[in-house]
Structures are given as C-alpha cells and as structure tokens.
Amino acid sequence: MIENPYYTHEFHGDYDLIGLGEFALEEGGVVPDLQLAVATFGELNEAKDNAILVSTWYSGTHQIWRDVYIGPDHALNPEKYFIVVVNQIGDGLSTSPHNASGANASIGMSRFPRVRIGDDVRAQEQLLREHFGIESLALVVGGSMGAQQTYEWMVRFPDKVRRAAPIAGTAQITPHDELYVTALCDAITSDPGFKDGEYSSNADVVDGLKRHAGIWAVVGFSTEWWKQELWRGLGFGSKEEFLTGFLEPYFTAMDPNDLLCMAWKWQHGDVARHAGGDLAAALDRTEAVTRIIPIDEDMFFPVRDHESELELTPHATIRVVEDPAGHLGLFGITPTYIGQVDQYLQELLDTEA
Amino acid sequence: MIENPYYTHEFHGDYDLIGLGEFALEEGGVVPDLQLAVATFGELNEAKDNAILVSTWYSGTHQIWRDVYIGPDHALNPEKYFIVVVNQIGDGLSTSPHNASGANASIGMSRFPRVRIGDDVRAQEQLLREHFGIESLALVVGGSMGAQQTYEWMVRFPDKVRRAAPIAGTAQITPHDELYVTALCDAITSDPGFKDGEYSSNADVVDGLKRHAGIWAVVGFSTEWWKQELWRGLGFGSKEEFLTGFLEPYFTAMDPNDLLCMAWKWQHGDVARHAGGDLAAALDRTEAVTRIIPIDEDMFFPVRDHESELELTPHATIRVVEDPAGHLGLFGITPTYIGQVDQYLQELLDTEA
C-alpha cells in the first residue's frame, strides 16, 4: 500500500466505495474484497429504467465525466437520468495495486492479479443489480477503454443494454494498439526505480512516467494538435510548457502499477473471446441500439477501425466527432468537442429502444 | 572508438571513404578530419551534367538505395546517370561518434559535436565539387532525413539543383516530429547501460535500443500495416517474429551515439534558418523543378505537412505514394512501392530543367 494524494476525495470529489466482497477474476486470480469507487448523478426512478452506466478510460476516473460530460446542459442529464460512473478496477480509486490493503493486503503492488475488461463488466453488473436493483440500462457509454467495456456489456449482457455508445474505442484490440500499449508499459517498467513493481513511491518512477507521458504526446494527440498549437487554447505559452505543465504532471501523479494493471486490460480487450475468437459472431449477439463514435484525428483508434466493427454490429450507426486533438480530445479540451458528443448521445437517447 | 561489425564492407558492400579534412560545423564544433562514406553508380559524363545526389535517412545508409532504388530498371539508372550516394555524417559509415579515431579521437563517443543538416549539405557540395568536379546536379533526392537534406540543397544552393525530389520528409521540422524524436532518444538515453554515451559496446544499450525499435513499430508503420498483417509479405509468421526478427535486430545492431547524432539533426532540420525563420521566404529561393513525394499512410510526415510546404515551393508539384506500410514504406517492403516512386522520379527526370 502506497499513500498517493492523487487518489483522494480532495482531488476527485465525491464518490462512494461499494464493496462486492470476494471477486474471482477471469485470469484465475481473486480479489478478496473488491471495492468499486462509484459516483452517481441524478435519481433512479421507480421503474428503475432511467439508469445510465459510464465506464472509465486508461488513467481516467469519474472526475472527467463529471466535469465535461454530465450536467443539466448535456445529454447525460442528471435531471432525467440516474447516471452511475464506475471507476475501473486498477484505476487507483477502485481496488488497485497501490491501494490494496487490509483484506486485500495479499494482492498489493506487484502481486496484484491480472484483471480483464470482462471482470470490470461483471463487477459493474453485480453492483448495479445488487446495490441499486438495476436490471436494464437506458445507455452504456464510455470512451477508449470505456468503449471496450461498453462492447463487453453489449456482448455479455445483451438483454440488459438498451442503448450503447462506444466512443473512440474498439470491441477488439488492434495489433497497433497492442504495440502502442507495450511501448507505454516499457517506458515505465524500464525505470530502475520501478523495481519490478516494488517501488516505495510513484516519485521513484518519475522518469519512466515522464517518458510514458512523452509517448502519449506523440500518439495521443494528432499531428495537427501540435502544428496548429492548439494547446494555446488551454492557456499554455509553448508546447514545452504544455508538456511540463499538463501532460507530465497528469501522469507522474499516478501510480505505475495501477497504470500497468489498466494497460494489460486494454491490451487484452476482445469480445471475440465470447465466441471462440469469432468477432463477427460475438458482435452479432448485441441487441443495443448503438452509436459508434470515433474521433476523426485519432491516431491509434482510427475511424476505419470503428468502421470495420460497425459492419459487424447489428443495430449500430456511426457518428464521427471532428476534433484535431485526436484521441485525447476525450478530455473535452477542444471547445467544439462536447457539443458533438452531446448531439450524438442525445440522438441515441431519443431513439426508442 | 567502438568496433561494430555492422558498419563494415561486409554488411554494406562497396563504398569509399573520401576525406574532406578539417570541417567546421554550424553549431561551432569542428571535425578534425571529416570522412564521407560514398557509394557511386554509373559514370559521370564529360559535360558533368548527369549527376544525381542521393542523401540518406535516419539509420539508413547507401545500402537501401543500392538494393531498392538504383539499377537499370529504375528511374535512378546508372546506365544514364552518375549516382552519388553520400552517407550522412553520424550514420556509422561516414565520420560518426562510434568510429571517431585517429585524427578524430578527440570527438569520439559522447564528445561528438552537434551536426546539422546544413553541415551534411555543405560537406556534400564540397565533395562533389572538389572530388568529382560537379557543379550542377540533374537531381537531388532523398527520403525522410534525406528529404530534409534535399530541401537544404534547394534553398542553400538553388543554382546547383536542377531537379529535386524530397520523399516523405519536410523542409521544416514539425512539432509532432520533434516530440517523436524526443521519445526515440529518451528510450536510448534512459538505458542505464548508455552511461551518458560512454558505453563500451552497443550491446550494453540493447534494452534501450529495443524500446526505441518498439516506438518505431507504433509510429513508423501505419495501423493498417499491422491490421492487415502485411509483415507476412516479408516471410514472418507473427508480428512478434517480425519485431524480433526484423525491427529489433535492425536497430540493436546500430550504435546509440550515432543514432542520437542523427536524431538531433533530424529534430533541428529547418530551412527557414536561412531566412530569419521565414519558411516561405526560404522556400521561395528554390529554383529546382521539384516533385514532393509523401506516402499516404505516413503517421509522422503526413501528406498534409507536405501540402503546406508545396504551396510555398515555387516549382513544385506533389505525387502521393500509396503504401499501407506508412513511413517505413521507404524500405521498399511493399511490392507496389518502388514502382510508384520510379514513375514519379522518371516523370521528373524527363522534365526539362
């Protein structure tokens, strides 16, 4: 267990830790006492049919959804919907390598078992059912790894997902993404301070975390983000200031083992596992009315990778968000981003399902 | 000085070392005895007007030009032209950090001075003039860093370049490329075996060189290269085999300081330096009939970055090569690549200039 001030209410605002008890993982490990960090917005109606599930991306938490995507002026409107944002396992708020203590002390740090996207989705389903009595979701939505979880929901629990909106992410990991994640992980684990996961503070791994941020700079944004100096819109005076004032602090605050836990999940996300490796057969099980929402300048979840899955997904249409930020447009850092996403989500929520 | 079997005639075939003597560098350093590794093909005619200069890219040497681009069936036809391929300074064959010895012993390894694209081009001009008596070039051509050198020729010696063909590279470094090169360098210098450039063998830095290869895998090829498994065309059975059998051995054979010398040059390539930072004014000096030849799937020298320079280059037209390999299509690994390049170079050579 490592004390890390980033993963606190001070930085992340309100959320509840909800325990699911012992949780068996698909790769064979066990979490003795799985705690999910959950933030809710709005109220569940009597019919319990106005619930929206939001899942989180690599390095992300409920915070960015609260600050950018959720509110009375957004499609994810808490005045109409009961919105449940579940922080993914390993994200630093839910049970994670760095915070495993007490009943989870045996799985701390480098001993944390491997977790799959499917584990998150099973845990979310159990949470919604047991804790909130929710058996049907008006919408499942998430970006990047959240899109992976969305597809997993669609395939695993087709009768529970009325609508789905995977944003900037695919049902099946692509080989390019797999290589990208490897490069990110290598930047961290190669830091001598990482000590095979048994560092005593994330500060010991600051060089590796900075290199990890440096690779995100190259692939996470688009070439136009840099060429047009769009970081100026965030108040920075140079790209170096943007790196040292935004991207590096963002990642160096985080826990290396937590990032690696999420990275492995990302790298192994694949709904085809539910159909013996047949992606088409897996996606054919989906029943949700679906909007697939790629970002046009995304360098590692490019539009065409969404288009090839669109063809295999029965009730899906595609809406492409234009954003020169690229994949990290997900943060809502381009002023025109959220309006497009709101429009596409609203269209979907207005569709009978 | 380090013995490295990669940088030998055994691996690189015929080339001559041609000495230019003491050579002052733009950043203030001096090479006591600059040796350029030069491979020539064909014969210089009496008018000395059939010479083509080829410059090399990051990690590349004359070898790939000899094997892929030059021959009686190619536009670069040694039966018609006298083709001079000059290995760039720091590439391991010309004077470079790892081979600096004898008169150059004072600039070996970490003491190697900073070299600019302009230094290469001035050295090449001196070589052609003093050694071959060439004052006018039928064509200057190069890919990637070779394109940077081509533009430098066009701006610095406009009256000597009749035709020019920058392939997959720009006149001015882009901020995205700058970040990409930083990520590549960090992968090498972060290896504890690098020892600030004073390792005793490139094998000491093998982990860093592998990480460097891993980042090339993500950005050097396109997402479609991986998705369509086009590496199968090179005889590999899995992408892991392709990495460990091709990309990693390619880079781990090389010298870390040599790569870093070239990387710094790449990162600082900018013809606007000749016009007080005004790119348009610099490119406006060019007189060569020019074909700008980007590769459609290039992730870090994207087509649009060529298009914006096309607008500023007086006598230029653009021809886009279609190649799902992306930037590393330069290696000629896609069967349809070289035919397109040959066509565009032939068109150019057939143009009066």
PDB file of all heavy atoms in Angstrom, chain B residues 48-71:
ATOM      1  N   LYS B  48      29.669  16.570 -67.332  1.00  0.00           N
ATOM      2  CA  LYS B  48      29.448  16.518 -65.873  1.00  0.00           C
ATOM      3  C   LYS B  48      28.061  17.038 -65.492  1.00  0.00           C
ATOM      4  O   LYS B  48      27.894  17.716 -64.478  1.00  0.00           O
ATOM      5  CB  LYS B  48      30.540  17.317 -65.150  1.00  0.00           C
ATOM      6  CG  LYS B  48      31.938  16.747 -65.411  1.00  0.00           C
ATOM      7  CD  LYS B  48      32.978  17.226 -64.451  1.00  0.00           C
ATOM      8  CE  LYS B  48      34.296  16.473 -64.693  1.00  0.00           C
ATOM      9  NZ  LYS B  48      35.326  16.726 -63.728  1.00  0.00           N
ATOM     10  N   ASP B  49      27.106  16.697 -66.328  1.00  0.00           N
ATOM     11  CA  ASP B  49      25.744  17.175 -66.048  1.00  0.00           C
ATOM     12  C   ASP B  49      24.749  16.035 -65.825  1.00  0.00           C
ATOM     13  O   ASP B  49      23.546  16.246 -65.851  1.00  0.00           O
ATOM     14  CB  ASP B  49      25.257  18.103 -67.168  1.00  0.00           C
ATOM     15  CG  ASP B  49      25.108  17.372 -68.496  1.00  0.00           C
ATOM     16  OD1 ASP B  49      25.380  16.147 -68.563  1.00  0.00           O
ATOM     17  OD2 ASP B  49      24.717  18.028 -69.488  1.00  0.00           O
ATOM     18  N   ASN B  50      25.273  14.817 -65.658  1.00  0.00           N
ATOM     19  CA  ASN B  50      24.347  13.688 -65.438  1.00  0.00           C
ATOM     20  C   ASN B  50      24.436  13.138 -64.011  1.00  0.00           C
ATOM     21  O   ASN B  50      24.147  11.975 -63.771  1.00  0.00           O
ATOM     22  CB  ASN B  50      24.633  12.569 -66.453  1.00  0.00           C
ATOM     23  CG  ASN B  50      25.947  11.853 -66.175  1.00  0.00           C
ATOM     24  OD1 ASN B  50      26.861  12.474 -65.618  1.00  0.00           O
ATOM     25  ND2 ASN B  50      26.052  10.581 -66.544  1.00  0.00           N
ATOM     26  N   ALA B  51      24.815  14.016 -63.083  1.00  0.00           N
ATOM     27  CA  ALA B  51      24.996  13.523 -61.702  1.00  0.00           C
ATOM     28  C   ALA B  51      23.711  13.641 -60.894  1.00  0.00           C
ATOM     29  O   ALA B  51      22.980  14.635 -60.978  1.00  0.00           O
ATOM     30  CB  ALA B  51      26.109  14.305 -61.017  1.00  0.00           C
ATOM     31  N   ILE B  52      23.457  12.610 -60.125  1.00  0.00           N
ATOM     32  CA  ILE B  52      22.334  12.589 -59.176  1.00  0.00           C
ATOM     33  C   ILE B  52      22.915  12.395 -57.785  1.00  0.00           C
ATOM     34  O   ILE B  52      23.731  11.489 -57.564  1.00  0.00           O
ATOM     35  CB  ILE B  52      21.358  11.436 -59.506  1.00  0.00           C
ATOM     36  CG1 ILE B  52      20.624  11.731 -60.824  1.00  0.00           C
ATOM     37  CG2 ILE B  52      20.376  11.208 -58.368  1.00  0.00           C
ATOM     38  CD1 ILE B  52      19.688  10.607 -61.277  1.00  0.00           C
ATOM     39  N   LEU B  53      22.493  13.250 -56.868  1.00  0.00           N
ATOM     40  CA  LEU B  53      22.929  13.091 -55.479  1.00  0.00           C
ATOM     41  C   LEU B  53      21.807  12.462 -54.665  1.00  0.00           C
ATOM     42  O   LEU B  53      20.662  12.930 -54.688  1.00  0.00           O
ATOM     43  CB  LEU B  53      23.290  14.440 -54.860  1.00  0.00           C
ATOM     44  CG  LEU B  53      23.629  14.345 -53.360  1.00  0.00           C
ATOM     45  CD1 LEU B  53      24.954  13.641 -53.134  1.00  0.00           C
ATOM     46  CD2 LEU B  53      23.605  15.719 -52.698  1.00  0.00           C
ATOM     47  N   VAL B  54      22.147  11.417 -53.934  1.00  0.00           N
ATOM     48  CA  VAL B  54      21.204  10.772 -53.014  1.00  0.00           C
ATOM     49  C   VAL B  54      21.736  10.940 -51.597  1.00  0.00           C
ATOM     50  O   VAL B  54      22.911  10.666 -51.333  1.00  0.00           O
ATOM     51  CB  VAL B  54      21.069   9.261 -53.328  1.00  0.00           C
ATOM     52  CG1 VAL B  54      20.123   8.592 -52.334  1.00  0.00           C
ATOM     53  CG2 VAL B  54      20.594   9.044 -54.762  1.00  0.00           C
ATOM     54  N   SER B  55      20.876  11.399 -50.714  1.00  0.00           N
ATOM     55  CA  SER B  55      21.278  11.503 -49.306  1.00  0.00           C
ATOM     56  C   SER B  55      20.487  10.483 -48.484  1.00  0.00           C
ATOM     57  O   SER B  55      19.444   9.989 -48.920  1.00  0.00           O
ATOM     58  CB  SER B  55      21.037  12.924 -48.799  1.00  0.00           C
ATOM     59  OG  SER B  55      19.713  13.326 -49.084  1.00  0.00           O
ATOM     60  N   THR B  56      20.988  10.182 -47.310  1.00  0.00           N
ATOM     61  CA  THR B  56      20.443   9.038 -46.563  1.00  0.00           C
ATOM     62  C   THR B  56      19.575   9.474 -45.387  1.00  0.00           C
ATOM     63  O   THR B  56      19.627  10.607 -44.939  1.00  0.00           O
ATOM     64  CB  THR B  56      21.586   8.149 -46.038  1.00  0.00           C
ATOM     65  OG1 THR B  56      22.400   8.910 -45.128  1.00  0.00           O
ATOM     66  CG2 THR B  56      22.443   7.636 -47.175  1.00  0.00           C
ATOM     67  N   TRP B  57      18.764   8.544 -44.911  1.00  0.00           N
ATOM     68  CA  TRP B  57      17.838   8.834 -43.806  1.00  0.00           C
ATOM     69  C   TRP B  57      18.356   8.304 -42.477  1.00  0.00           C
ATOM     70  O   TRP B  57      19.388   7.639 -42.418  1.00  0.00           O
ATOM     71  CB  TRP B  57      16.437   8.298 -44.099  1.00  0.00           C
ATOM     72  CG  TRP B  57      16.300   6.821 -44.405  1.00  0.00           C
ATOM     73  CD1 TRP B  57      16.505   5.778 -43.545  1.00  0.00           C
ATOM     74  CD2 TRP B  57      15.873   6.227 -45.641  1.00  0.00           C
ATOM     75  NE1 TRP B  57      16.226   4.584 -44.155  1.00  0.00           N
ATOM     76  CE2 TRP B  57      15.833   4.824 -45.438  1.00  0.00           C
ATOM     77  CE3 TRP B  57      15.505   6.740 -46.884  1.00  0.00           C
ATOM     78  CZ2 TRP B  57      15.444   3.934 -46.447  1.00  0.00           C
ATOM     79  CZ3 TRP B  57      15.126   5.846 -47.880  1.00  0.00           C
ATOM     80  CH2 TRP B  57      15.100   4.468 -47.663  1.00  0.00           C
ATOM     81  N   TYR B  58      17.630   8.646 -41.430  1.00  0.00           N
ATOM     82  CA  TYR B  58      17.923   8.184 -40.072  1.00  0.00           C
ATOM     83  C   TYR B  58      18.063   6.670 -40.065  1.00  0.00           C
ATOM     84  O   TYR B  58      17.137   5.973 -40.488  1.00  0.00           O
ATOM     85  CB  TYR B  58      16.782   8.598 -39.140  1.00  0.00           C
ATOM     86  CG  TYR B  58      16.931   8.181 -37.704  1.00  0.00           C
ATOM     87  CD1 TYR B  58      17.780   8.868 -36.846  1.00  0.00           C
ATOM     88  CD2 TYR B  58      16.211   7.105 -37.190  1.00  0.00           C
ATOM     89  CE1 TYR B  58      17.914   8.501 -35.509  1.00  0.00           C
ATOM     90  CE2 TYR B  58      16.337   6.729 -35.857  1.00  0.00           C
ATOM     91  CZ  TYR B  58      17.182   7.425 -35.025  1.00  0.00           C
ATOM     92  OH  TYR B  58      17.298   7.054 -33.713  1.00  0.00           O
ATOM     93  N   SER B  59      19.206   6.200 -39.613  1.00  0.00           N
ATOM     94  CA  SER B  59      19.512   4.765 -39.510  1.00  0.00           C
ATOM     95  C   SER B  59      19.843   4.134 -40.851  1.00  0.00           C
ATOM     96  O   SER B  59      20.312   3.006 -40.889  1.00  0.00           O
ATOM     97  CB  SER B  59      18.383   3.970 -38.828  1.00  0.00           C
ATOM     98  OG  SER B  59      17.351   3.648 -39.764  1.00  0.00           O
ATOM     99  N   GLY B  60      19.609   4.853 -41.927  1.00  0.00           N
ATOM    100  CA  GLY B  60      19.842   4.268 -43.239  1.00  0.00           C
ATOM    101  C   GLY B  60      21.234   4.568 -43.765  1.00  0.00           C
ATOM    102  O   GLY B  60      21.933   5.461 -43.274  1.00  0.00           O
ATOM    103  N   THR B  61      21.641   3.824 -44.774  1.00  0.00           N
ATOM    104  CA  THR B  61      22.917   4.048 -45.441  1.00  0.00           C
ATOM    105  C   THR B  61      22.676   3.962 -46.952  1.00  0.00           C
ATOM    106  O   THR B  61      21.532   3.824 -47.398  1.00  0.00           O
ATOM    107  CB  THR B  61      23.959   2.982 -45.044  1.00  0.00           C
ATOM    108  OG1 THR B  61      23.549   1.712 -45.598  1.00  0.00           O
ATOM    109  CG2 THR B  61      24.084   2.861 -43.529  1.00  0.00           C
ATOM    110  N   HIS B  62      23.761   3.995 -47.715  1.00  0.00           N
ATOM    111  CA  HIS B  62      23.637   3.840 -49.171  1.00  0.00           C
ATOM    112  C   HIS B  62      23.058   2.484 -49.557  1.00  0.00           C
ATOM    113  O   HIS B  62      22.542   2.305 -50.655  1.00  0.00           O
ATOM    114  CB  HIS B  62      25.019   3.987 -49.830  1.00  0.00           C
ATOM    115  CG  HIS B  62      25.960   2.889 -49.425  1.00  0.00           C
ATOM    116  ND1 HIS B  62      26.705   2.936 -48.273  1.00  0.00           N
ATOM    117  CD2 HIS B  62      26.230   1.691 -49.992  1.00  0.00           C
ATOM    118  CE1 HIS B  62      27.420   1.820 -48.165  1.00  0.00           C
ATOM    119  NE2 HIS B  62      27.151   1.056 -49.187  1.00  0.00           N
ATOM    120  N   GLN B  63      23.152   1.530 -48.625  1.00  0.00           N
ATOM    121  CA  GLN B  63      22.775   0.141 -48.924  1.00  0.00           C
ATOM    122  C   GLN B  63      21.346   0.012 -49.458  1.00  0.00           C
ATOM    123  O   GLN B  63      21.096  -0.662 -50.452  1.00  0.00           O
ATOM    124  CB  GLN B  63      22.931  -0.673 -47.635  1.00  0.00           C
ATOM    125  CG  GLN B  63      22.625  -2.141 -47.779  1.00  0.00           C
ATOM    126  CD  GLN B  63      22.721  -2.853 -46.431  1.00  0.00           C
ATOM    127  OE1 GLN B  63      22.438  -2.273 -45.383  1.00  0.00           O
ATOM    128  NE2 GLN B  63      23.125  -4.118 -46.468  1.00  0.00           N
ATOM    129  N   ILE B  64      20.398   0.671 -48.741  1.00  0.00           N
ATOM    130  CA  ILE B  64      18.996   0.520 -49.113  1.00  0.00           C
ATOM    131  C   ILE B  64      18.725   1.173 -50.465  1.00  0.00           C
ATOM    132  O   ILE B  64      17.901   0.693 -51.252  1.00  0.00           O
ATOM    133  CB  ILE B  64      18.081   1.096 -48.004  1.00  0.00           C
ATOM    134  CG1 ILE B  64      16.629   0.717 -48.222  1.00  0.00           C
ATOM    135  CG2 ILE B  64      18.241   2.608 -47.890  1.00  0.00           C
ATOM    136  CD1 ILE B  64      16.282  -0.636 -47.692  1.00  0.00           C
ATOM    137  N   TRP B  65      19.463   2.248 -50.769  1.00  0.00           N
ATOM    138  CA  TRP B  65      19.298   2.887 -52.080  1.00  0.00           C
ATOM    139  C   TRP B  65      19.833   1.976 -53.173  1.00  0.00           C
ATOM    140  O   TRP B  65      19.203   1.800 -54.221  1.00  0.00           O
ATOM    141  CB  TRP B  65      19.988   4.259 -52.090  1.00  0.00           C
ATOM    142  CG  TRP B  65      19.150   5.246 -51.341  1.00  0.00           C
ATOM    143  CD1 TRP B  65      19.167   5.491 -50.002  1.00  0.00           C
ATOM    144  CD2 TRP B  65      18.087   6.048 -51.878  1.00  0.00           C
ATOM    145  NE1 TRP B  65      18.196   6.406 -49.678  1.00  0.00           N
ATOM    146  CE2 TRP B  65      17.525   6.773 -50.818  1.00  0.00           C
ATOM    147  CE3 TRP B  65      17.570   6.235 -53.165  1.00  0.00           C
ATOM    148  CZ2 TRP B  65      16.462   7.669 -50.995  1.00  0.00           C
ATOM    149  CZ3 TRP B  65      16.524   7.125 -53.351  1.00  0.00           C
ATOM    150  CH2 TRP B  65      15.982   7.834 -52.271  1.00  0.00           C
ATOM    151  N   ARG B  66      20.973   1.374 -52.913  1.00  0.00           N
ATOM    152  CA  ARG B  66      21.547   0.440 -53.887  1.00  0.00           C
ATOM    153  C   ARG B  66      20.589  -0.726 -54.125  1.00  0.00           C
ATOM    154  O   ARG B  66      20.326  -1.111 -55.276  1.00  0.00           O
ATOM    155  CB  ARG B  66      22.883  -0.088 -53.345  1.00  0.00           C
ATOM    156  CG  ARG B  66      23.593  -1.060 -54.276  1.00  0.00           C
ATOM    157  CD  ARG B  66      24.701  -1.813 -53.520  1.00  0.00           C
ATOM    158  NE  ARG B  66      24.134  -2.660 -52.491  1.00  0.00           N
ATOM    159  CZ  ARG B  66      24.740  -2.980 -51.350  1.00  0.00           C
ATOM    160  NH1 ARG B  66      25.947  -2.529 -51.073  1.00  0.00           N
ATOM    161  NH2 ARG B  66      24.145  -3.759 -50.472  1.00  0.00           N
ATOM    162  N   ASP B  67      20.055  -1.278 -53.036  1.00  0.00           N
ATOM    163  CA  ASP B  67      19.272  -2.509 -53.152  1.00  0.00           C
ATOM    164  C   ASP B  67      17.857  -2.294 -53.661  1.00  0.00           C
ATOM    165  O   ASP B  67      17.267  -3.193 -54.263  1.00  0.00           O
ATOM    166  CB  ASP B  67      19.214  -3.227 -51.803  1.00  0.00           C
ATOM    167  CG  ASP B  67      20.589  -3.717 -51.357  1.00  0.00           C
ATOM    168  OD1 ASP B  67      21.524  -3.694 -52.182  1.00  0.00           O
ATOM    169  OD2 ASP B  67      20.733  -4.109 -50.182  1.00  0.00           O
ATOM    170  N   VAL B  68      17.272  -1.131 -53.385  1.00  0.00           N
ATOM    171  CA  VAL B  68      15.861  -0.917 -53.715  1.00  0.00           C
ATOM    172  C   VAL B  68      15.650   0.080 -54.856  1.00  0.00           C
ATOM    173  O   VAL B  68      14.799  -0.120 -55.712  1.00  0.00           O
ATOM    174  CB  VAL B  68      15.074  -0.457 -52.464  1.00  0.00           C
ATOM    175  CG1 VAL B  68      13.626  -0.095 -52.818  1.00  0.00           C
ATOM    176  CG2 VAL B  68      15.116  -1.525 -51.376  1.00  0.00           C
ATOM    177  N   TYR B  69      16.443   1.148 -54.871  1.00  0.00           N
ATOM    178  CA  TYR B  69      16.104   2.287 -55.729  1.00  0.00           C
ATOM    179  C   TYR B  69      16.948   2.420 -56.993  1.00  0.00           C
ATOM    180  O   TYR B  69      16.544   3.094 -57.942  1.00  0.00           O
ATOM    181  CB  TYR B  69      16.253   3.602 -54.947  1.00  0.00           C
ATOM    182  CG  TYR B  69      15.268   3.814 -53.823  1.00  0.00           C
ATOM    183  CD1 TYR B  69      15.461   3.228 -52.577  1.00  0.00           C
ATOM    184  CD2 TYR B  69      14.154   4.624 -53.989  1.00  0.00           C
ATOM    185  CE1 TYR B  69      14.569   3.436 -51.532  1.00  0.00           C
ATOM    186  CE2 TYR B  69      13.258   4.845 -52.946  1.00  0.00           C
ATOM    187  CZ  TYR B  69      13.469   4.245 -51.722  1.00  0.00           C
ATOM    188  OH  TYR B  69      12.591   4.461 -50.703  1.00  0.00           O
ATOM    189  N   ILE B  70      18.154   1.857 -56.971  1.00  0.00           N
ATOM    190  CA  ILE B  70      19.110   2.127 -58.047  1.00  0.00           C
ATOM    191  C   ILE B  70      19.316   0.895 -58.913  1.00  0.00           C
ATOM    192  O   ILE B  70      19.503  -0.205 -58.384  1.00  0.00           O
ATOM    193  CB  ILE B  70      20.472   2.586 -57.448  1.00  0.00           C
ATOM    194  CG1 ILE B  70      20.293   3.912 -56.698  1.00  0.00           C
ATOM    195  CG2 ILE B  70      21.544   2.697 -58.533  1.00  0.00           C
ATOM    196  CD1 ILE B  70      21.511   4.338 -55.883  1.00  0.00           C
ATOM    197  N   GLY B  71      19.283   1.091 -60.213  1.00  0.00           N
ATOM    198  CA  GLY B  71      19.537  -0.038 -61.111  1.00  0.00           C
ATOM    199  C   GLY B  71      19.007   0.269 -62.493  1.00  0.00           C
ATOM    200  O   GLY B  71      18.258   1.243 -62.685  1.00  0.00           O
TER     201      GLY B  71
END
